[in-house]
């Protein structure tokens, strides 16, 4: 019997060499300028992650065109050649630390606000988003879909030109490509909807375009292993998506779950971060202070609660998908201890583990795991970090009430 690899053993993804099996999962940092170029603060953060032991860094999501920009401040963008020089400095700084860096590419689709972006939201079908419900998104035309396909391809070309070690397509969490994959948000009856193969077509054409222009340049994907939307993603369909990704040339899949409309399904925690919502959420910041105690009591009744368990909640889906594909599988979601990360690899549930909140709490957590000074993240899963990015750059709040905001 072959012994399972250790969590700290070197490994490869599509030719990318990693010094261990810990990956910093894509996390919106809010550290870009108005054009979407990375600020010095982002470079400093990535250097802390690289020096802190991460095997690889996946950037926060970068928009492929202005239409797909998120409504939070400071989103990275990769829609223009003019951005390449700023990114090149960032990539070179990380590479000097011996760590690969992968750019996540995304289009927010209906999960953004035209009041912020100045552009009407779009989607595969005119289905109102549960959370970003201010307007009915416009159904994409054939030409609109083609423009988005080209935007992803061109963004990947810029990433390769810049020196990024690969790109990751964001097919999870209810953003545009996930909206195409989901039977809940994709109700089309043309060649872009209906069967799983038709719903996947936009992804396959993006992959084909990248392959045509960049050959074997590493392309990863982040997908939902499941969600709780009616007619949404289920594990058996996620296996099919992963197989189609593998057939299209994808070199690894990261398994997450949930959509923004499901509340804290993506980043689970023991309680609703009420104080952060009042401080930063676009729906609640304007509420009179006298009403806030009342709303705080009602909120758990009207807001989708964080489902349990809080730890390792995507490992079962990752394990199921890993049994069906031959490319590496990356598990993310509530993996906060060295024991759980090591067990995920040893048990064959995943080939790599990725983390977000533990790295927000301490960018050096992997080094502390390795030298034995820490055995678990000190993140309390308060999720203030996930809410406060609506107003200011990413940081760990340690559960503190954001009174200064």
């Amino acid at each position: 019997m072959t012994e399972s690899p250790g969590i700290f053993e070197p490994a490869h993804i599509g030719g990318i060499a990693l010094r261990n099996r810990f990956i910093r999962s894509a996390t919106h940092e809010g550290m870009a300028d108005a054009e979407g170029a990375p600020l010095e603060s982002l470079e400093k953060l990535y250097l802390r992650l690289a020096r802190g032991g991460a095997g690889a860094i996946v950037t926060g999501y970068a928009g492929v065109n202005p239409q797909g920009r998120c409504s939070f401040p400071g989103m990275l963008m990769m829609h223009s050649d003019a951005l390449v020089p700023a990114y090149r400095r960032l990539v070179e700084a990380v590479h000097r630390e011996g760590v690969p860096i992968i750019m996540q590419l995304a289009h927010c689709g209906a999960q953004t606000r035209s009041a912020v972006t100045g552009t009407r939201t779009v989607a595969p079908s005119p289905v109102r988003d549960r959370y970003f419900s201010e307007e009915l998104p416009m159904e994409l035309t054939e030409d609109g879909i083609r423009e988005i396909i080209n935007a992803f391809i061109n963004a990947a070309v810029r990433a390769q030109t810049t020196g990024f070690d690969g790109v990751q397509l964001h097919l999870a969490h209810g953003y545009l490509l996930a909206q195409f994959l989901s039977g809940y948000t994709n109700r089309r009856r043309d060649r872009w909807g209906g069967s799983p193969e038709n719903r996947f077509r936009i992804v396959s054409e993006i992959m084909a375009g990248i392959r045509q222009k960049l050959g074997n340049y590493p392309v990863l994907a982040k997908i939902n292993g499941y969600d709780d939307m009616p007619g949404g993603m289920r594990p058996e369909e996620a296996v099919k998506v992963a197989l189609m990704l593998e057939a299209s040339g994808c070199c690894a899949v990261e398994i997450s779950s949930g959509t923004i409309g499901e509340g804290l399904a993506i980043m689970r925690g023991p309680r609703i971060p009420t104080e952060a919502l009042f401080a930063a959420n676009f729906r609640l910041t304007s509420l009179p202070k006298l009403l806030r105690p009342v709303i705080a009591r009602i909120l758990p009744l009207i807001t989708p609660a964080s489902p349990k368990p809080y730890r390792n909640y995507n490992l079962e889906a990752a394990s199921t998908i890993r049994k069906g594909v031959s490319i590496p599988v990356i598990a993310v979601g509530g993996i906060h201890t060295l024991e759980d990360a090591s067990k995920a690899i040893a048990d064959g549930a995943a080939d790599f583990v990725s983390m977000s909140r533990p790295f927000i709490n301490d960018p050096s957590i992997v080094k502390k795991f390795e030298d034995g000074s820490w055995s678990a993240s000190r993140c309390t899963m308060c999720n203030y970090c996930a809410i406060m990015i609506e107003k200011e750059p990413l940081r760990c709040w340690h559960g503190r009430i954001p009174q200064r905001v």
Side-chain angles (χ1 to χ4, degrees):
M1 182 177 176
T2 304
E3 187 177 347
S4 298
I7 191 73
F8 294 111
E9 290 184 21
H12 289 80
I13 295 178
I16 304 172
L18 286 75
R19 61 191 177 194
N20 57 50
R21 294 171 185 267
F22 281 104
I23 297 172
R24 188 270 197 166
S25 189
T27 307
H28 174 76
E29 302 98 355
M31 298 178 188
D33 66 18
E35 300 303 315
L39 296 172
E40 184 181 356
S41 56
L42 187 64
E43 180 179 325
K44 290 179 179 178
L45 173 60
Y46 286 177
L47 287 176
R48 289 183 67 198
L49 288 164
R51 293 166 182 165
I57 297 168
V58 183
T59 70
Y61 56 6
V64 297
N65 66 15
Q67 175 197 66
R69 185 189 288 267
C70 78
S71 61
F72 303 155
M75 183 187 188
L76 296 171
M77 297 294 293
M78 199 50 152
H79 66 295
S80 168
D81 293 344
L83 295 166
V84 168
Y87 280 115
R88 185 170 286 133
R89 291 190 294 271
L90 176 74
V91 170
E92 289 174 351
V94 173
H95 281 170
R96 283 194 292 271
E97 301 299 324
V99 176
I101 180 168
I102 297 159
M103 171 169 268
Q104 187 185 75
L105 301 177
H107 187 299
C108 289
Q111 290 188 163
T112 187
R113 303 179 61 210
S114 61
V116 175
T117 66
T119 305
R120 179 152 178 204
T121 58
V122 297
S125 304
V127 178
R128 193 178 299 274
D129 187 81
R130 287 183 175 183
Y131 181 73
F132 295 98
S133 58
E134 294 168 294
E135 64 179 291
L136 190 69
M138 180 173 61
E139 180 173 291
L140 281 162
T141 63
E142 181 82 17
D143 287 344
I145 293 172
R146 184 60 53 192
E147 287 177 7
I148 288 168
I149 291 170
N150 290 334
F152 271 98
I153 295 168
N154 292 335
V157 171
R158 292 186 191 101
Q160 192 269 350
T161 300
T162 301
F164 281 97
D165 298 275
V167 294
Q168 183 186 63
L169 303 180
H170 199 343
L171 277 62
H173 301 167
Y175 295 110
L176 184 68
L177 297 184
Q179 290 163 22
F180 269 93
L181 295 176
S182 170
Y184 175 74
T185 46
N186 185 346
R187 305 179 188 182
R188 303 175 74 100
R189 291 295 177 262
D190 59 7
R191 68 195 191 104
W192 305 102
S195 69
E197 292 76 16
N198 277 358
R199 297 201 302 271
F200 185 77
R201 189 182 303 277
I202 187 171
V203 180
S204 65
E205 295 210 10
I206 291 169
M207 289 295 301
I210 294 173
R211 288 282 161 259
Q212 183 179 10
K213 287 182 177 288
L214 301 179
N216 292 324
Y217 183 61
V219 180
L220 297 75
K222 186 170 193 171
I223 68 172
N224 273 1
Y226 60 94
D227 63 46
D228 285 332
M229 303 298 284
M233 187 63 66
R234 301 295 179 264
E236 59 273 15
E237 189 164 0
V239 173
K240 294 178 182 178
V241 170
L243 283 167
M244 288 188 284
L245 281 164
E246 181 176 2
S248 70
C250 179
C251 64
V253 287
E254 182 180 16
I255 311 304
S256 190
S257 63
T259 66
I260 303 297
E262 295 174 69
L264 295 176
I266 298 168
M267 297 178 75
R268 303 184 186 185
R271 61 181 291 270
I272 295 173
T274 307
E275 299 89 352
L277 287 167
F278 287 138
N281 179 258
F282 75 94
R283 293 185 176 281
L284 299 178
T285 51
S286 61
L287 277 177
K289 289 189 176 181
L290 289 175
L291 286 179
R292 293 186 179 188
V294 177
I295 298 300
R297 289 193 293 271
I298 297 174
L299 208 55
L301 304 176
I302 62 175
T303 301
S306 176
K308 297 180 180 179
Y310 306 136
R311 289 174 50 182
N312 309 319
Y313 44 87
N314 296 324
L315 276 185
E316 184 177 349
S319 179
T320 299
I321 291 167
R322 188 173 185 268
K323 292 171 184 174
V325 299
S326 59
I327 56 177
V329 169
I330 307 161
V332 66
I335 303 173
H336 284 211
T337 71
L338 176 57
E339 180 183 3
D340 288 344
S342 300
K343 191 173 186 297
I345 303 301
D347 290 352
D351 300 284
F352 297 83
V353 297
S354 59
M355 305 185 300
S356 174
R357 289 171 292 180
F359 280 120
I360 299 171
N361 177 265
D362 190 333
S364 299
I365 188 169
V366 174
K367 182 176 287 186
K368 291 175 179 176
F369 279 168
E370 192 166 18
D371 67 20
S373 57
W374 283 20
S375 62
S377 170
R378 296 179 183 178
C379 170
T380 62
M381 300 187 189
C382 72
N383 285 321
Y384 283 33
C385 58
I387 305 301
M388 295 305 296
I389 55 172
E390 291 194 45
K391 194 161 189 176
E392 63 173 75
L394 181 72
R395 72 180 181 93
C396 180
W397 290 81
H398 293 288
R400 292 172 294 184
I401 298 174
Q403 294 176 337
R404 69 181 185 83
V405 180

